[in-house]
Amino acid sequence: MSSQMIKKAMLLTAMMTGLSLGAEAIVPVKIEARLRQASPKFKGYRISWAYGRKPALYSYSAVQTGRFKHSATANQTYSGLKRKGVRAVAQQYVGWGRATAYWHCQ
Amino acid sequence: MQSGLCLLLALFLLSQHYENTVKDYGKEEAGAFNLYIDQVADDKLEPLSDFLLSSKAFLIKKEIQQKHQVTNIKISVGGNFNQAIGLSFGHLNLFEKTDLQQLANQPTDKIIGRGQGTLSSLKSIPRPLFASNIFVSQIPVDDAKAILGNYTVVGLNGKQQAYFIKQIAKITGQSEARLRQQRSGAHIDSSSIGLTLSIGLGVTFIVLVILLTIYLISRFKEIGILTLNGWAKYDILKVTFGGYIEFGVVIVPINILLGIFISGLQFNGIWTYLISGIMSVILVLLAILLVSTMLCFVSDLKLIKGFLPKKMLYGLGFSVYGLLAVGLVITSTGLEGPVRQIKENTRLLTAWQPVLDYQTLKKFEEGQNPGTLAGTTHAFSEEIYKWYQAMEGATGVYLATGEYYSKKQLQELKRMDAYETTVPAEPFTLASFSPNYLKDHGIYNNQAVINRAKAGKRIYLIPESISNKQLKAIKNWLIENDTADLEQVKNTFARQRQFEFIKYPERQPIFTWTNHADQSVLTKSPIMLIETSQNMSVNDYVNLHVNTLEGPLKFKNERILKMYTRGKVLKQYQLADNKMKFVPVQQYINGLRNDLRFTIYLFMGVIGFVLLILALTLIALMLIYSVANEKIIFVKRLMGYSNLKIYAWLVSLVCGVTGLQVISVLYLHLDIGLKLCLVSFVLQMLLMVGFIKVKGIEKLKGK
């Protein structure tokens, strides 16, 4: 039994080490669509702002409000000033860099 | 490995705490309040700057600077340095009042902390690993434009505050309410690091449990002997795992040394590292505890007999298998987005065939206009406007952009109650073109009308076939949109606000530069604005530097682009610092596709990996079963049981799990997920059949 066991143990160990190593490198990619929602207030009204990394390696910013003209910026990509009620979306590929999102109203 | 991760996680949390402290710099002071100063007329900038910098208040402005993938936080300070406040993090002073006062006596190019390139530093600001770089500089006295921004104002009592704001309102001509209103916000993401570390930690923990279990199982024979000799379970465990616990404790001082090496002693002294070390030891203890509990479930008798602990192994195998199955579903959710976007981009490439060589804006930098991205200054828009004005009408220098308002979009506008006028009921395409674009593409060439547009009338071309109801709604809607916020624009239209709506006969389809799934980019009846520098609305004005495909500024080809983006020309309009990059539309779309492809390859790599481990786990489970039940299987075969019957449980496991996967994938609407489930199912089936056949042959050979 011992040689069988050892073989099995070795197989499992190798498997698990590989799994952990792989997971460490790739796991951040698995967790995408981490979009956060915020509702900053502008002139007393709540603005809808979704931002984060979507998908995984992209910086994302989306602003929506029916009361004011608004724009979204993701890192250095600017959606442009949008009309009231039209969604402003900006997205930029950032790889593993930091994702900075902006909202703007007027 | 685990303790290393704990250390990094602790450092990461530290850096988060650090950045939050910096974000709140000044806000905790008694009497601190926020002011948002932007869109100030040029002639009012100097008096504003003079007033602010010579007032009794101490001003703090924080800006995010992005350059070449590096994010810096720039803190600008100015005003009355006797009211200056330092910034501390825990017991550590990042910089003090005296440092700031010293800074004030230096020329404006001196900073505290590390800045980019040539800025020379008075002293450095300590920062932990993972935190953004922070530096402090003075608000320049000689550059009035730099006075715009979002401020935290410190050092004024109630009466002084009221006077302060009143004066600013007077100087800028803006209301106090507007000055107090936050118009933009930002967020720097760093969650991926924290998440990665946490998940890495979770995975290493699981791996630790698994490894410990395997180790335990491999020692079963010895443990059996010990039990036979009357050893209590607790003592056995102590002997087995004692070594691991000792190792874990020994790691702690090594961890501390590592921590000091990485990030120094300044922040909280040794505490952070000590705590992370203790965290790590606790995790190890937890893992050992878990495994030990498993041991307690195995009866002494079984141990003595040296039986293979089926339940443990099965439990292990099944949980890993289950985790991986779930992992497969989760990963496919990530794949869905990029795959869909690639399909869209391919569609776009075909649809935009006629304009693939046109040059469109891809990148720009804030350069000398910090605050552009945050929206606190429109200086960049002004510079581009003047640049465009100078080359307006030149061959191949166009404004061209279009939007499609679908029924869904219009219903949404109605639902949001966004407009005072009635929202148009029928979907429509709204495009803006410069006069030379209309002429060069054979769309419209009535010179008299064009001249009126050039003179400042906002002229819309309306298709002849439009219904009266739609026409009325569109007119009112456009007028309501275009006449808003015109204080920011300085052209004829802003002053005179004159509109014209002229009908045109629909002839051939027009390329409208839209990108909508429901509507072709070619349409015979778009509504078109004849856009000139004198009739731009605020949207047109600030959107000149939009660097998505919707950006209006287009050059017909590279040769023309080069003519107007020569260094000399850009310098003339203060655009050299903004490093604008125009690329052909085709390259822009391909660039998007390449980024997406890379993301997809990454996900496919993960999926391949998960499938591989899944297959291995399955094989392991089958091995365990066949070894543990050798005799039973032999007997069953003898009795004529079919292979299917013998391995029925295995087949039902795979089918069951795949079934669950399919249900969740359908629930989440993942096409890719479905395909993956199929692939994984087929793979596992093949493996099982292969394995059973091999085992069968082995039996026949009398192994």
Side-chain angles (χ1 to χ4, degrees):
Chain A
M1 153 161 125
S2 15
S3 73
Q4 273 267 15
M5 280 258 43
I6 291 174
K7 252 192 268 181
K8 234 170 286 165
M10 274 168 49
L11 176 69
L12 274 172
T13 314
M15 234 168 73
M16 295 315 156
T17 319
L19 176 71
S20 82
L21 284 174
E24 307 251 7
I26 297 170
V27 144
V29 168
K30 267 191 137 178
I31 310 300
E32 36 32 77
R34 301 282 299 182
L35 274 193
R36 279 184 260 188
Q37 276 282 24
S39 320
K41 259 191 167 170
F42 181 70
K43 290 192 182 167
Y45 293 99
R46 293 231 163 262
I47 315 288
S48 160
W49 181 34
Y51 61 92
R53 305 182 76 96
K54 168 184 143 150
L57 305 175
Y58 285 76
S59 169
Y60 180 90
S61 178
V63 181
Q64 171 66 303
T65 166
R67 298 206 171 268
F68 312 101
K69 296 193 180 173
H70 49 279
S71 70
T73 305
N75 279 55
Q76 286 159 313
T77 300
Y78 170 55
S79 73
L81 192 67
K82 295 289 179 182
R83 299 192 167 91
K84 297 191 277 189
V86 177
R87 232 166 147 245
V89 180
Q91 196 178 27
Q92 180 171 323
Y93 180 78
V94 292
W96 265 274
R98 304 186 90 161
T100 310
Y102 304 82
W103 65 269
H104 180 76
C105 282
Q106 59 185 41
Chain B
M1 194 159 59
Q2 179 162 295
S3 44
L5 280 176
C6 279
L7 180 67
L8 289 176
L9 191 63
L11 282 174
F12 171 72
L13 291 170
L14 191 70
S15 77
Q16 289 294 88
H17 189 34
Y18 177 83
E19 283 190 12
N20 283 338
T21 309
V22 173
K23 223 194 310 178
D24 292 333
Y25 172 43
K27 295 207 176 133
E28 313 268 308
E29 288 293 304
F33 65 98
N34 292 333
L35 268 185
Y36 306 94
I37 308 181
D38 67 355
Q39 321 284 352
V40 175
D42 278 349
D43 56 335
K44 306 210 169 83
L45 285 173
E46 271 222 46
L48 176 66
S49 177
D50 290 338
F51 172 74
L52 284 176
L53 295 178
S54 56
S55 72
K56 292 203 179 76
F58 180 64
L59 309 162
I60 301 171
K61 177 163 67 162
K62 295 163 217 134
E63 290 167 304
I64 300 173
Q65 259 191 1
Q66 284 179 61
K67 254 189 174 186
H68 318 300
Q69 306 280 49
V70 176
T71 311
N72 292 326
I73 300 180
K74 175 181 178 185
I75 303 178
S76 306
V77 292
N80 179 8
F81 281 83
N82 288 328
Q83 294 285 358
I85 50 170
L87 178 62
S88 59
F89 179 61
H91 299 296
L92 183 67
N93 282 333
L94 298 178
F95 53 85
E96 297 173 31
K97 178 172 174 175
T98 43
D99 298 320
L100 294 173
Q101 286 173 323
Q102 207 188 352
L103 183 69
N105 293 331
Q106 301 279 342
T108 27
D109 61 345
K110 284 256 192 287
I111 59 170
I112 298 176
R114 200 162 39 96
Q116 294 112 284
T118 54
L119 298 171
S120 50
S121 173
L122 279 181
K123 83 177 250 211
S124 65
I125 300 180
R127 83 178 168 103
L129 187 67
F130 298 128
S132 303
N133 183 42
I134 313 236
F135 66 98
V136 186
S137 88
Q138 293 181 68
I139 301 173
V141 242
D142 47 1
D143 181 6
K145 280 223 164 105
I147 203 69
L148 298 173
N150 299 343
Y151 288 95
T152 304
V153 181
V154 165
L156 300 179
N157 63 35
K159 228 164 71 176
Q160 291 169 323
Q161 282 180 29
Y163 172 74
F164 186 74
I165 301 181
K166 204 148 143 222
Q167 281 304 104
I168 298 179
K170 207 159 119 193
I171 296 174
T172 59
Q174 295 180 2
S175 69
E176 289 187 31
R178 184 175 207 277
L179 290 167
R180 284 189 185 272
Q181 171 65 53
Q182 182 178 8
R183 262 174 300 282
S184 52
H187 176 87
I188 312 178
D189 160 90
S190 44
S191 64
S192 63
I193 301 179
L195 209 53
T196 315
L197 292 173
S198 311
I199 291 175
L201 212 58
V203 170
T204 27
F205 182 73
I206 295 174
V207 170
L208 190 66
V209 169
I210 292 173
L211 286 174
L212 286 173
T213 311
I214 294 171
Y215 177 68
L216 189 67
I217 293 172
S218 68
R219 303 284 304 258
F220 253 42
K221 206 169 183 195
E222 289 92 345
I223 296 178
I225 295 172
L226 290 174
T227 321
L228 194 62
N229 283 345
W231 281 52
K233 285 250 172 65
Y234 175 70
D235 295 318
I236 298 176
L237 289 170
K238 218 164 58 168
V239 166
T240 319
F241 290 125
Y244 283 101
I245 300 178
E246 278 163 25
F247 185 67
V249 172
V250 161
I251 288 280
V252 175
I254 297 180
N255 226 18
I256 293 179
L257 286 171
L258 195 66
I260 295 176
F261 176 67
I262 295 178
S263 197
L265 269 172
Q266 316 134 314
F267 305 97
N268 294 342
I270 300 191
W271 281 114
T272 317
Y273 311 131
L274 195 65
I275 291 178
S276 88
I278 292 176
M279 216 161 76
S280 177
V281 169
I282 290 178
L283 280 175
V284 171
L285 280 174
L286 206 65
I288 292 175
L289 200 70
L290 220 69
V291 177
S292 313
T293 329
M294 280 197 254
L295 181 66
C296 296
F297 279 116
V298 184
S299 72
D300 287 345
L301 203 59
K302 283 230 174 89
L303 280 174
I304 296 173
K305 281 198 182 170
F307 269 157
L308 197 62
K310 280 191 286 190
K311 292 213 184 86
M312 276 180 84
L313 286 174
Y314 281 144
L316 206 61
F318 286 138
S319 34
V320 172
Y321 184 78
L323 271 170
L324 289 169
V326 170
L328 204 64
V329 176
I330 294 179
T331 319
S332 56
T333 55
L335 205 53
E336 200 66 18
V339 166
R340 202 177 359 106
Q341 273 186 301
I342 281 212
K343 283 200 189 128
E344 250 183 60
N345 281 342
T346 315
R347 186 187 57 84
L348 194 63
L349 267 181
T350 342
W352 280 35
Q353 182 63 27
V355 299
L356 291 179
D357 286 333
Y358 283 59
Q359 308 281 326
T360 184
L361 184 62
K362 165 108 180 148
K363 274 196 204 165
F364 65 87
E365 295 205 7
E366 287 189 316
Q368 307 279 14
N369 311 106
T372 301
L373 291 173
T376 52
T377 169
H378 281 272
F380 184 43
S381 301
E382 282 171 24
E383 289 165 7
I384 289 208
Y385 178 77
K386 296 205 176 87
W387 175 57
Y388 174 71
Q389 221 177 4
M391 58 184 179
E392 189 176 11
T395 316
V397 177
Y398 299 132
L399 291 174
T401 182
E403 263 182 305
Y404 176 65
Y405 286 82
S406 63
K407 201 149 199 145
K408 197 165 156 218
Q409 170 76 83
L410 293 171
Q411 279 168 352
E412 179 78 2
L413 292 182
K414 211 164 160 196
R415 189 188 61 79
M416 297 185 94
D417 201 20
Y419 296 94
E420 305 200 355
T421 64
T422 328
V423 168
E426 303 293 315
F428 58 92
T429 302
L430 180 60
S432 305
F433 296 120
S434 55
N436 59 349
Y437 184 93
L438 292 168
K439 276 201 192 148
D440 292 353
H441 293 77
I443 303 174
Y444 192 79
N445 56 11
N446 184 326
Q447 193 56 46
V449 174
I450 289 178
N451 286 341
R452 292 205 295 276
K454 285 190 181 162
K457 282 221 168 72
R458 203 158 164 87
I459 304 187
Y460 283 95
L461 297 172
I462 313 275
E464 257 176 1
S465 62
I466 197 172
S467 72
N468 281 336
K469 185 166 163 236
Q470 178 77 344
L471 176 60
K472 188 156 173 236
I474 294 240
K475 265 190 189 175
N476 291 334
W477 183 72
L478 286 172
I479 293 175
E480 185 181 340
N481 263 296
D482 296 343
T483 47
D485 304 310
L486 278 175
E487 324 78 48
Q488 295 160 39
V489 188
K490 287 158 230 149
N491 61 14
T492 313
F493 172 68
R495 288 191 302 272
Q496 298 177 351
R497 310 195 178 200
Q498 289 182 320
F499 287 84
E500 262 190 60
F501 297 89
I502 296 181
K503 291 228 175 127
Y504 73 91
E506 293 126 271
R507 277 192 280 261
Q508 78 275 39
I510 301 171
F511 186 89
T512 54
W513 295 82
T514 55
N515 175 18
H516 200 282
D518 298 340
Q519 169 76 356
S520 165
V521 69
L522 289 166
T523 167
K524 281 199 182 151
S525 45
I527 297 170
M528 298 181 281
L529 168 70
I530 307 180
E531 189 181 345
T532 69
S533 60
Q534 284 308 319
N535 74 2
M536 284 187 185
S537 69
V538 70
N539 287 64
D540 305 325
Y541 181 75
V542 304
N543 287 351
L544 281 171
H545 64 275
V546 165
N547 54 347
T548 64
L549 284 168
E550 288 178 0
L553 195 52
K554 301 275 193 280
F555 296 89
K556 186 156 190 191
N557 55 45
E558 199 177 338
R559 185 183 54 85
I560 296 178
L561 168 72
K562 285 210 157 92
M563 278 180 5
Y564 298 99
T565 51
R566 280 196 330 265
K568 241 188 2 203
V569 176
L570 292 180
K571 233 181 176 169
Q572 200 185 345
Y573 296 97
Q574 283 97 51
L575 287 171
D577 56 303
N578 298 108
K579 303 209 173 90
M580 295 188 293
K581 184 165 179 217
F582 287 81
V583 300
V585 166
Q586 178 160 33
Q587 192 180 325
Y588 192 104
I589 301 177
N590 280 340
L592 295 176
R593 289 212 308 186
N594 288 340
D595 296 336
L596 285 167
R597 274 213 202 106
F598 184 70
T599 311
I600 290 181
Y601 290 155
L602 210 55
F603 275 105
M604 301 242 77
V606 176
I607 289 175
F609 190 74
V610 170
L611 277 176
L612 182 69
I613 305 292
L614 195 70
L616 288 175
T617 315
L618 195 65
I619 294 177
L621 279 170
M622 293 193 285
L623 268 174
I624 295 171
Y625 179 74
S626 59
V627 166
N629 301 313
E630 254 185 301
K631 301 196 186 87
I632 299 177
I633 295 177
F634 187 69
V635 169
K636 279 191 177 167
R637 270 192 214 278
L638 226 54
M639 288 171 59
Y641 275 55
S642 72
N643 275 332
L644 192 65
K645 264 201 171 154
I646 298 174
Y647 290 96
W649 67 273
L650 194 65
V651 176
S652 44
L653 169 73
V654 173
C655 291
V657 169
T658 310
L660 279 170
Q661 284 179 317
V662 168
I663 292 174
S664 35
V665 152
L666 286 174
Y667 176 71
L668 294 167
H669 302 295
L670 306 168
D671 302 317
I672 301 291
L674 207 58
K675 293 188 190 123
L676 277 175
C677 286
L678 205 66
V679 168
S680 122
F681 185 68
V682 168
L683 185 69
Q684 289 177 73
M685 277 299 166
L686 285 172
L687 268 175
M688 284 199 296
V689 169
F691 181 83
I692 294 170
K693 283 238 152 69
V694 167
K695 275 288 164 181
I697 293 172
E698 280 181 4
K699 289 288 178 281
L700 284 174
K701 282 190 180 166
K703 186 173 173 175

